[in-house]
């Protein structure tokens, strides 16, 4: 159902809006926090039924331990892992699948490093539509694969990386009106994902953060969140904009490279590699929008090593009580590199894009090392040894 690119310039299509929404017009007062609270800012007809599982409305959790150890006074985590399928993808998927139904689509398709496929599978199930997902063979975290299977998606594998899979589904969907593509090149996805900006603004007591730090893979989310903040400013709801900081793994960092070299375009990396499988992407489809967001906001893009990512993931889980997947911990890994840029009392929001439960193989767990307790005395004995 269309390739979502402009027939004249070849760029990705995006929604522009000429109507201006005051704050009172943006939020539907009766709606709780979540994507559809901002229905007036979404390109869906008011009479169309929403395909919804209660996405968005995720908590903005103040950091205690990491804030103190990195010397940030106002650091917060937007825990997108608390979405219905455990990632931010649900924000865009509720809008894209609602649109698919509105447009009469029957088959929904995506390429994915995992989370998009899990989300599509759930929303397609909800809508009674067929879901087909194309995944890089052997490279998707098991929790995500299990979600796609449980929700009844048809799972297909490709020998190669995410970009090969995306190339194939783009080609097929562009040429077939019955097949609707829901990767983030689909502008309806971007519209849903921009609501994370609106929510953050509300949760901070109607102000924008000074910095938004988030992982970047295919670069849809950084573009979407920036769009949300830009709209708030265009509508006169706020005068400020945040500085956007994109974080990539050092083995998959084409945007970091382009920003560092002040390049006009992003050069694809042939063999991306990182433990953070969600962002193992060497040729980001939305690179142009992401680079524009970073530059316009006065921001930057930085890369972090895999061991820094894993350390941040472990710290978040064991010291803050927030269990995120490796990709989602990359912004926290980046914080120590940002000390020169960010002042200690700046309001910093790290987007925790997805739940750690999806990627259990990256957690060290040795059942043999767990002491066995079959009676109260042995438990008392162990506790007295301060285990
Ligand atoms: C947890 O699911 O690309 O920069 O196919 O799952 O918008 O791509 C996932 C990406 C960050 C990067 N954090 O977002 C997919 C997919 C998590 C993710 C990203 C992804 P984009």
């Amino acid at each position: 159902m269309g390739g979502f690119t402009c027939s004249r310039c070849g760029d990705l299509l995006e929604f522009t809006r000429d109507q201006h929404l005051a704050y009172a017009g943006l939020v539907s007062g009766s709606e709780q926090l979540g994507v559809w609270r901002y229905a007036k800012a979404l390109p869906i007809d008011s009479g169309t039924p929403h395909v919804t599982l209660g996405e968005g409305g995720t908590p903005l959790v103040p950091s205690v331990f990491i804030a103190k150890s990195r010397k940030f006074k106002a650091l917060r985590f937007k825990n997108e892992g608390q979405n219905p399928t455990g990632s931010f993808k649900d924000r865009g998927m509720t809008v894209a699948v609602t649109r698919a139904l509105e447009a009469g689509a029957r088959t929904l398709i995506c390429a994915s490093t995992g989370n998009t496929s899990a989300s599509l599978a759930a929303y397609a199930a909800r809508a009674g539509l067929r879901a087909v997902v194309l995944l890089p063979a052997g490279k998707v975290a098991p929790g995500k694969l299990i979600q796609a299977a449980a929700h009844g998606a048809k799972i297909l594998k490709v020998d190669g990386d995410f970009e090969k899979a995306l190339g194939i589904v783009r080609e097929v969907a562009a040429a077939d009106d019955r097949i609707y593509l829901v990767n983030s090149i689909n502008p309806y996805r971007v519209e849903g994902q921009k609501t994370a900006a609106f929510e953050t603004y509300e949760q901070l007591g109607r102000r924008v953060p000074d910095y938004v730090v988030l992982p970047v893979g295919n670069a849809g989310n950084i573009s979407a969140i920036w769009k949300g903040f830009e709209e708030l400013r265009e509508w006169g709801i706020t005068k400020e904009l945040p500085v956007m900081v994109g974080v990539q793994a050092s083995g998959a960092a084409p945007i970091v490279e382009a920003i560092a070299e002040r390049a006009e375009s992003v050069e694809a990396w042939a063999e991306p590699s990182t433990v953070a499988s969600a962002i193992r992407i060497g040729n980001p489809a939305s690179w142009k929008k992401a680079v524009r967001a970073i530059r316009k906001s006065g921001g930057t893009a930085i890369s972090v090593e895999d061991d820094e990512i894993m350390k941040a993931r472990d710290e978040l889980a064991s010291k803050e009580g927030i269990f995120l997947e490796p990709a989602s911990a990359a912004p926290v890994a980046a914080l120590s590199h940002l000390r020169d840029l960010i002042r200690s009392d700046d309001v910093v929001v790290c987007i925790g894009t997805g739940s750690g439960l999806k990627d259990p193989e990256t957690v060290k767990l040795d059942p043999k090392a767990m002491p066995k307790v079959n009676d109260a005395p042995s438990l008392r004995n162990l506790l007295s040894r301060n285990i």
Side-chain angles (χ1 to χ4, degrees):
M1 260 193 188
F4 303 122
T5 49
C6 172
S7 56
R8 267 177 294 165
C9 71
D11 277 354
L12 294 177
L13 293 176
E14 64 182 316
F15 283 100
T16 54
R17 207 159 277 103
D18 46 19
Q19 112 256 29
H20 281 235
L21 298 168
Y23 179 73
L26 169 64
V27 303
S28 319
S30 57
E31 282 275 353
Q32 59 187 11
L33 214 57
V35 169
W36 295 103
R37 176 174 170 84
Y38 311 105
K40 288 191 191 124
L42 299 174
I44 298 293
D45 288 347
S46 58
T48 301
H50 302 158
V51 182
T52 178
L53 296 163
E55 48 294 313
T58 58
L60 188 67
V61 186
S63 170
V64 180
F65 176 83
I66 290 166
K68 204 178 280 171
S69 81
R70 313 292 201 282
K71 300 192 168 53
F72 288 101
K73 292 198 183 113
L75 174 65
R76 288 177 170 78
F77 306 115
K78 181 79 171 143
N79 188 356
E80 293 287 280
Q82 290 191 221
N83 274 295
T85 76
S87 86
F88 72 95
K89 305 284 181 184
D90 297 339
R91 290 183 186 274
M93 207 56 74
T94 183
V95 179
V97 176
T98 294
R99 170 61 192 165
L101 213 51
E102 193 180 63
R106 299 291 315 147
T107 295
L108 311 187
I109 198 166
C110 73
S112 182
T113 58
N115 279 323
T116 300
S117 67
S119 184
L120 167 59
Y123 284 86
R126 184 77 179 180
L129 300 173
R130 180 162 74 133
V132 179
V133 304
L134 184 55
L135 310 176
K139 293 179 182 169
V140 170
K144 301 172 187 177
L145 212 51
I146 284 164
Q147 286 180 290
H151 291 301
K154 182 75 188 168
I155 302 175
L156 311 173
K157 301 181 287 188
V158 66
D159 289 322
D161 289 315
F162 166 81
E163 24 276 290
K164 183 171 171 193
L166 183 60
I168 294 170
V169 295
R170 278 182 87 159
E171 188 180 329
V172 169
D176 190 332
D177 269 352
R178 296 160 304 174
I179 297 175
Y180 190 71
L181 183 67
V182 299
N183 280 101
S184 60
I185 59 168
N186 179 326
Y188 289 91
R189 281 274 313 277
V190 173
E191 292 300 292
Q193 285 173 209
K194 77 183 180 185
T195 62
F198 301 162
E199 271 179 27
T200 301
Y201 166 81
E202 292 207 74
Q203 289 171 311
L204 287 173
R206 292 208 208 169
R207 63 156 290 173
V208 304
D210 297 307
Y211 289 85
V212 176
V213 189
L214 76 166
V216 174
N218 210 26
N221 206 32
I222 191 168
S223 316
I225 292 180
W226 173 247
K227 186 172 196 280
F229 283 117
E230 271 199 315
E231 287 184 354
L232 289 180
R233 197 176 69 157
E234 272 164 33
W235 299 332
I237 292 172
T238 165
K239 290 194 179 64
E240 319 295 336
L241 284 168
V243 174
M244 304 298 289
V245 179
V247 184
Q248 297 195 295
S250 58
I255 291 194
V256 175
E257 183 179 72
I259 293 291
E261 293 174 358
R262 296 187 166 79
E264 274 186 29
S265 61
V266 169
E267 291 283 328
W269 285 26
E271 284 180 16
S273 134
T274 167
V275 66
S277 57
I279 53 172
R280 191 183 287 154
I281 295 174
N283 189 15
S286 296
W287 65 266
K288 203 178 255 186
K289 289 195 277 181
V291 166
R292 194 179 61 206
I294 289 167
R295 290 192 176 137
K296 253 181 111 177
S297 75
T300 189
I302 64 172
S303 63
V304 288
E305 302 295 330
D306 277 3
D307 59 350
E308 295 178 286
I309 290 175
M310 294 319 295
K311 189 163 170 281
R313 200 280 311 270
D314 291 346
E315 265 189 310
L316 269 164
S318 64
K319 302 278 191 2
E320 298 272 15
I322 299 174
F323 185 26
L324 299 176
E325 68 164 277
S328 311
V332 171
L335 287 176
S336 20
H337 302 285
L338 294 167
R339 277 289 12 160
D340 289 345
L341 180 70
I342 304 178
R343 288 182 319 202
S344 66
D345 53 1
D346 283 335
V347 176
V348 181
V349 172
C350 288
I351 311 290
T353 46
S355 163
L357 285 170
K358 290 162 171 277
D359 205 349
E361 286 176 342
T362 60
V363 180
K364 283 189 210 80
L365 186 69
D366 180 7
K368 286 200 285 294
M370 297 173 192
K372 199 172 262 175
V373 165
N374 285 320
D375 53 32
S378 53
L379 176 57
R380 249 180 240 120
N381 181 30
L382 275 169
L383 293 175
S384 70
R385 286 194 275 134
N386 209 11
I387 53 147

mmCIF file of all heavy atoms in Angstrom, residues 34 74 139 170 226 276:
data_model
loop_
_atom_site.group_PDB
_atom_site.id
_atom_site.type_symbol
_atom_site.label_atom_id
_atom_site.label_comp_id
_atom_site.label_asym_id
_atom_site.label_seq_id
_atom_site.Cartn_x
_atom_site.Cartn_y
_atom_site.Cartn_z
ATOM 1 N N GLY A 34 -1.835 8.732 27.730
ATOM 2 C CA GLY A 34 -1.680 7.643 26.765
ATOM 3 C C GLY A 34 -1.794 8.219 25.365
ATOM 4 O O GLY A 34 -2.105 9.400 25.197
ATOM 5 N N ALA A 74 18.584 16.116 38.048
ATOM 6 C CA ALA A 74 17.197 15.935 37.576
ATOM 7 C C ALA A 74 17.166 14.970 36.393
ATOM 8 O O ALA A 74 16.819 15.338 35.272
ATOM 9 C CB ALA A 74 16.596 17.285 37.197
ATOM 10 N N LYS A 139 19.114 -13.618 14.927
ATOM 11 C CA LYS A 139 19.602 -12.366 15.511
ATOM 12 C C LYS A 139 18.551 -11.618 16.325
ATOM 13 O O LYS A 139 18.754 -10.467 16.690
ATOM 14 C CB LYS A 139 20.127 -11.443 14.400
ATOM 15 C CG LYS A 139 21.372 -12.001 13.727
ATOM 16 C CD LYS A 139 21.848 -11.092 12.633
ATOM 17 C CE LYS A 139 23.075 -11.693 11.940
ATOM 18 N NZ LYS A 139 23.414 -10.983 10.712
ATOM 19 N N ARG A 170 9.813 -3.524 1.833
ATOM 20 C CA ARG A 170 9.495 -2.236 1.186
ATOM 21 C C ARG A 170 9.156 -2.456 -0.281
ATOM 22 O O ARG A 170 8.184 -1.900 -0.792
ATOM 23 C CB ARG A 170 10.692 -1.278 1.272
ATOM 24 C CG ARG A 170 10.789 -0.557 2.587
ATOM 25 C CD ARG A 170 11.953 0.422 2.606
ATOM 26 N NE ARG A 170 11.589 1.722 2.073
ATOM 27 C CZ ARG A 170 12.267 2.848 2.332
ATOM 28 N NH1 ARG A 170 13.330 2.809 3.097
ATOM 29 N NH2 ARG A 170 11.872 3.987 1.829
ATOM 30 N N TRP A 226 11.258 14.206 18.418
ATOM 31 C CA TRP A 226 11.585 15.593 18.051
ATOM 32 C C TRP A 226 10.375 16.271 17.408
ATOM 33 O O TRP A 226 10.048 17.415 17.696
ATOM 34 C CB TRP A 226 12.792 15.605 17.107
ATOM 35 C CG TRP A 226 13.109 16.943 16.538
ATOM 36 C CD1 TRP A 226 13.009 17.328 15.241
ATOM 37 C CD2 TRP A 226 13.592 18.093 17.263
ATOM 38 N NE1 TRP A 226 13.398 18.643 15.100
ATOM 39 C CE2 TRP A 226 13.750 19.139 16.329
ATOM 40 C CE3 TRP A 226 13.889 18.339 18.613
ATOM 41 C CZ2 TRP A 226 14.205 20.406 16.688
ATOM 42 C CZ3 TRP A 226 14.340 19.610 18.967
ATOM 43 C CH2 TRP A 226 14.491 20.626 18.017
ATOM 44 N N ALA A 276 23.445 -5.198 21.696
ATOM 45 C CA ALA A 276 22.130 -4.558 21.728
ATOM 46 C C ALA A 276 21.416 -4.832 20.406
ATOM 47 O O ALA A 276 21.378 -3.995 19.501
ATOM 48 C CB ALA A 276 22.281 -3.056 21.963
#
